[in-house]
Amino acid sequence: MHDPPPTKVTILVSGNGSNLQALIDASSTTMPYVKIVRVISNRANAFGLTRARNASIPTTYHNLIAGKYHATGESDPAAKKQAREKYDADLAEKVLADGPDIVVCAGWMHILAPTFLDPLARRNVPVINLHPALPQKYDGAGAIKRAYDDYHKGKLEHDKTGIMIHYVISEVDRGAPIVVREIQCTPLETLTELENRIHQQEHTLIVEGTAMAIIKLWENRKIGVS
Ligand code: GRF
């Protein structure tokens, strides 16, 4: 099968960026059609920013407090909501300025509002995310620990958790899965061991899921579907 056309990818990170690294590595090996046009972090000290700089990828730091969207400790829910909506609208603008074909959230710890998702959808730019759980299970933060705890209470279905790459919609971790990998829990494994095992698997799945989403987006463009 032929490679897809050259594809511009923007990656959003918040932390260590090991999944970003997997994509950087793949872009010079198995996915030569991928050009990472920018890495954006909402945390200044995210090691993902260093990984991007080391690979000569442009970076942007976009933060709610540093960007003065709201003050530290803002407690008024309406003010907070408004600030986040504006923050997300500005994020969309920053992302779209590079004209990416797709956005990958790789450990991006910020819920994306419609003020981000809608402008991207209007430009037919899919947004995908990595989540360490099976579809419809353990949405949100702390998914691995919650699955681990349930396993040890005998409450984890088939003793399996997992990882998925999925399209992002405004309901957290509920968008359509692109690729899913099941992870079998075992009785003697510690939480840290399970986390490490899942992270290892994430690095291959994020590459696989990104490649699949890229193939799909070019197929859709060819037949004129958004
Ligand atoms: C991953 O485990 C991902 O599942 C979770 O955040 C972590 C990011 O890891 N949502 P890294 O920054 O890619 O190393």
Side-chain angles (χ1 to χ4, degrees):
M1 210 173 97
H2 293 302
D3 275 351
T7 305
K8 292 193 204 171
V9 181
T10 299
I11 303 184
L12 308 185
V13 301
S14 299
N16 176 27
S18 61
N19 288 284
L20 162 68
Q21 190 66 55
L23 289 167
I24 292 173
D25 295 347
S27 71
S28 59
T29 53
T30 53
M31 297 203 296
Y33 51 88
V34 161
K35 176 162 176 56
I36 302 172
V37 290
R38 185 169 300 277
V39 169
I40 301 180
S41 171
N42 62 339
R43 296 197 181 135
N45 59 358
F47 187 59
L49 287 173
T50 305
R51 293 181 192 268
R53 285 185 207 112
N54 288 345
S56 303
I57 297 166
T59 59
T60 297
Y61 167 51
H62 185 53
N63 178 271
L64 265 171
I65 306 295
K68 301 200 179 0
Y69 291 90
H70 69 57
T72 314
E74 171 65 69
S75 56
D76 175 19
K80 263 177 126 166
K81 184 167 182 278
Q82 203 182 14
R84 290 184 78 99
E85 284 175 358
K86 174 80 175 102
Y87 170 90
D88 276 32
D90 288 354
L91 177 64
E93 229 170 79
K94 286 171 197 267
V95 166
L96 288 172
D98 294 312
D101 297 296
I102 185 167
V103 175
V104 181
C105 301
W108 170 252
M109 303 305 282
H110 170 89
I111 295 169
L112 293 165
T115 53
F116 175 81
L117 295 172
D118 293 350
L120 275 276
R122 280 196 291 275
R123 295 270 285 268
N124 291 333
V125 177
V127 182
I128 68 173
N129 179 50
L130 159 72
H131 184 58
L134 294 173
Q136 320 290 317
K137 312 273 182 201
Y138 305 106
D139 305 330
I144 302 176
K145 180 171 188 323
R146 285 183 283 139
Y148 179 85
D149 290 346
D150 275 356
Y151 169 69
H152 284 281
K153 287 183 209 148
K155 286 192 336 200
L156 185 68
E157 219 177 306
H158 308 300
D159 294 340
K160 279 177 186 161
T161 184
I163 312 164
M164 65 172 163
I165 311 298
H166 66 94
Y167 289 102
V168 176
I169 58 171
S170 53
E171 278 177 280
V172 178
D173 299 326
R174 285 287 160 140
I178 299 162
V179 60
V180 175
R181 188 168 294 170
E182 290 185 336
I183 306 278
Q184 181 78 44
C185 290
T186 55
L188 299 179
E189 193 172 47
T190 64
L191 174 59
T192 307
E193 285 165 346
L194 174 64
E195 282 169 344
N196 289 340
R197 194 154 61 91
I198 287 182
H199 292 326
Q200 286 305 317
Q201 297 281 327
E202 286 177 345
H203 301 156
T204 54
L205 206 69
I206 192 139
V207 171
E208 209 179 301
T210 302
M212 288 166 76
I214 288 173
I215 290 167
K216 187 82 195 153
L217 92 83
W218 288 110
E219 274 172 14
N220 286 346
R221 285 189 190 178
K222 215 162 144 188
I223 55 172
V225 176
S226 62

